Amino acid sequence: MELTVKELFHDAVLYDVPNMAHAVYYAVQMGLVQWDDPESRIPYEQLDYGAIGRMRNENWLKMCTVKLFVVPLGEKRFAVYFADREEEARKQHRRIYGMPARRVLDVSDKMDASVYCEESRLWWSFWEFKRQAVEFPCFVGEF
């Protein structure tokens, strides 16, 4: 069964896919589709991707505010954090490890990477870890 425009938008927001969410939002705002239309009615070829890109850059939908950061620990080990800003990840690292982080890398583009969780004995993506977090910044673990 095909998703509605509203369901597609909801999934794009839920799974932090800002390009899709802003494109769907744009299509609805421009009157090209209605929320209850099937997703196949979105006229992607008629969308103004320059305007959608500006909306995304200005973050109209307030998406992806929590980012994925890693701090190299040496010997192929990394401390992993969720935080709004690099400074928050640095502070969290200092609290946990008692020393400043030399480098903090924004690896938010790796949010869909999966790692094995010993507790659950399942493979989890960082998206799934993020959805389980109660507050941010958040120490995810060492990998």
Side-chain angles (χ1 to χ4, degrees):
M1 187 167 143
E2 185 175 6
L3 295 175
T4 65
V5 170
K6 184 177 185 177
E7 291 167 331
L8 177 63
F9 177 75
H10 176 267
D11 286 353
V13 170
L14 179 66
Y15 294 105
D16 281 337
V17 185
N19 289 333
M20 177 61 75
H22 283 87
V24 171
Y25 181 77
Y26 176 86
V28 171
Q29 293 303 305
M30 297 307 291
L32 300 172
V33 290
Q34 301 299 314
W35 289 114
D36 293 326
D37 289 344
E39 69 172 314
S40 61
R41 301 234 353 242
I42 298 173
Y44 291 104
E45 66 283 347
Q46 295 178 24
L47 301 182
D48 180 347
Y49 290 98
I52 293 167
R54 287 188 293 280
M55 289 170 66
R56 184 193 184 285
N57 291 340
E58 293 171 11
N59 203 5
W60 282 29
L61 300 174
K62 305 295 183 222
M63 294 181 67
C64 301
T65 59
V66 175
K67 296 178 174 54
L68 178 66
F69 294 99
V70 297
V71 175
L73 299 172
E75 298 186 27
K76 297 183 181 180
R77 290 181 32 240
F78 299 89
V80 181
Y81 302 91
F82 292 126
D84 288 326
R85 294 180 309 284
E86 178 183 323
E87 299 81 37
E88 292 176 349
R90 285 183 181 281
K91 287 180 186 176
Q92 188 79 344
H93 186 77
R94 188 183 251 313
R95 269 194 294 272
I96 293 169
Y97 288 92
M99 64 178 80
R102 289 188 191 156
R103 290 186 335 168
V104 178
L105 307 169
D106 181 346
V107 293
S108 298
D109 61 325
K110 305 293 187 227
M111 200 69 90
D112 59 349
S114 294
V115 293
Y116 186 72
C117 179
E118 292 289 335
E119 281 182 29
S120 66
R121 297 179 185 231
L122 297 171
W123 286 89
W124 280 37
S125 72
F126 287 107
W127 293 116
E128 291 165 316
F129 281 114
K130 181 179 165 186
R131 279 195 288 276
Q132 297 295 319
V134 176
E135 61 182 49
F136 301 100
C138 173
F139 176 65
V140 178
E142 280 186 31
F143 298 95

